[in-house]
Amino acid sequence: MNSRRWLKNGRERTAPWWRVHTSHLEVRMKIGIIGAGNIGSTLTKRFRELGHDVFVANSRGPDTLESLAAETGARAVTAQEAARAGDVVIVTIPQHRVPDLPGDLFAGVGEHVVVVDTGNYYPRQRDGRIDGIEQGMTESRWVSSQIGRPVIKAFNNIYADHLLKLGRPSGARDRVALPVAGDDANAKATVLKLVEALGFDGVDSGTLDESWRQQPGTPVYTTDFQLDRLKLGLIDASRHRTPDWRATDRSPGSFEQPR
C-alpha cells in the first residue's frame, strides 16, 4: 500500500494512501450519518479522512458522540440535523429500529439528497420477525417504505473492520468490490463514486428490488470478493431466503444463540 510519513504528537506515523490523496478531492460533500455503530463509526472516520464534512447522530444524543467527534473532526448532531446535513444521508441502524426513527425525519429534505441504507435483516439473531420482509420485500425496499424516501443499498455486505482497512488504490490486484443497488441512476452514481473514493470497486447490482442479491446468505455477503468474482456472485445469488435468515416463532435470540 502506498503511504507517506507524518508526525503526530511528536511521533512518526504512516499515513494510508487515502489520507495522502485527500487534497485531490473532486467534490467536498456534506454527509449525514444516522447511526454510530460499527459501520456508522467506520464511515464517519473514512469520510472525514477523505475531507468530507460529516454530521453523525445516534439514538442517545450528540453528547454521547463527543469521543468520535473529537477523534475524527465530525460534528455530533441530532438525527434530524444529520438528515438535513446536505448531500448524502446514510441510515445505518439495526433493522428493527427503523420504525423508531422520527416520523418527520426527512420533512423538508430536498429530493436531490441521496439516502443510503446499509442495513441487514437478522431475524433470528436480533430483529425478530418483520412481516414485510418475510413476505418477500427486499430489506432496503422495506426501509424505504418505513422512512418515506427512496434509498440506495450499499455498505451492507462488508465487515466494518474490512471497510476501515481494505481500501486500495484503483487498479490494485487485491481491491475489494462492493455492490450498490437502487432505482435512481443519479443517486446510485453518487454512491458508486463514494465507494470508489473509499478504495473499493463499485458495482451496480441493479434496482432496489434486486438488492436481495447482496443480502445476508448470498454469495457476496461478507466475502470480500474482487470485481469479477463479485459480479459472478451476484449472478449466482438466489432470491430464496434460507431458514437461517427467516424468523421463527421464537425469534429473536442473539448472534451467539440464534432462535
Side-chain angles (χ1 to χ4, degrees):
M1 179 182 294
N2 295 327
S3 62
R4 69 178 178 190
R5 314 297 292 188
W6 92 103
L7 292 178
K8 181 177 180 181
N9 297 330
R11 300 177 64 184
E12 191 177 61
R13 306 282 183 169
T14 300
W17 70 269
W18 59 78
R19 270 199 190 136
V20 174
H21 296 291
T22 53
S23 61
H24 302 293
L25 288 172
E26 294 182 6
V27 178
R28 180 170 178 164
M29 302 181 72
K30 293 182 178 179
I31 301 174
I33 298 180
I34 300 174
N38 292 335
I39 293 292
S41 296
T42 295
L43 288 174
T44 297
K45 294 172 184 176
R46 292 297 317 276
F47 285 135
R48 282 297 301 139
E49 288 171 339
L50 288 171
H52 296 300
D53 296 320
V54 178
F55 304 79
V56 60
N58 65 9
S59 61
R60 295 177 294 149
D63 58 320
T64 65
L65 295 171
E66 291 178 356
S67 177
L68 180 62
E71 176 188 354
T72 63
R75 283 187 56 188
V77 297
T78 66
Q80 288 90 340
E81 289 171 326
R84 291 158 177 75
D87 306 300
V88 175
V89 180
I90 299 172
V91 179
T92 178
I93 64 176
Q95 207 87 27
H96 71 283
R97 298 298 304 275
V98 171
D100 297 335
L101 290 169
D104 62 348
L105 183 62
F106 290 100
V109 176
E111 293 182 0
H112 68 284
V113 175
V114 178
V115 181
V116 180
D117 170 45
T118 77
N120 291 308
Y121 177 47
Y122 301 120
R124 300 185 64 215
Q125 298 86 350
R126 179 194 65 197
D127 297 314
R129 181 182 180 86
I130 296 177
D131 286 338
I133 299 175
E134 290 287 340
Q135 292 165 6
M137 190 179 292
T138 60
E139 297 165 356
S140 288
R141 179 66 71 189
W142 178 82
V143 170
S144 177
S145 73
Q146 294 296 305
I147 66 175
R149 291 281 301 211
V151 303
I152 302 297
K153 177 92 166 185
F155 305 118
N156 73 294
N157 74 313
I158 185 170
Y159 290 117
D161 188 59
H162 295 188
L163 184 59
L164 180 67
K165 298 177 180 177
L166 296 187
R168 299 290 188 269
S170 178
R173 293 183 61 184
D174 60 344
R175 198 179 206 218
V176 172
L178 299 180
V180 177
D183 299 331
D184 185 301
N186 290 331
K188 189 156 48 175
T190 296
V191 178
L192 285 166
K193 287 179 180 178
L194 288 174
V195 169
E196 296 278 344
L198 288 168
F200 301 90
D201 285 325
V203 175
D204 185 337
S205 56
T207 67
L208 203 61
D209 288 331
E210 294 175 285
S211 61
W212 53 266
R213 297 182 185 278
Q214 63 198 75
Q215 291 178 171
T218 62
V220 305
Y221 179 68
T222 66
T223 46
D224 296 334
F225 285 148
Q226 277 82 56
L227 184 61
D228 290 344
R229 186 65 187 88
L230 182 97
K231 290 179 178 179
L232 289 175
L234 291 169
I235 293 171
D236 291 342
S238 169
R239 184 161 191 165
H240 175 68
R241 192 179 290 274
T242 62
D244 286 344
W245 305 103
R246 299 192 72 95
T248 72
D249 58 4
R250 300 173 61 241
S251 298
S254 65
F255 284 95
E256 293 74 24
Q257 295 183 315
R259 294 193 308 195

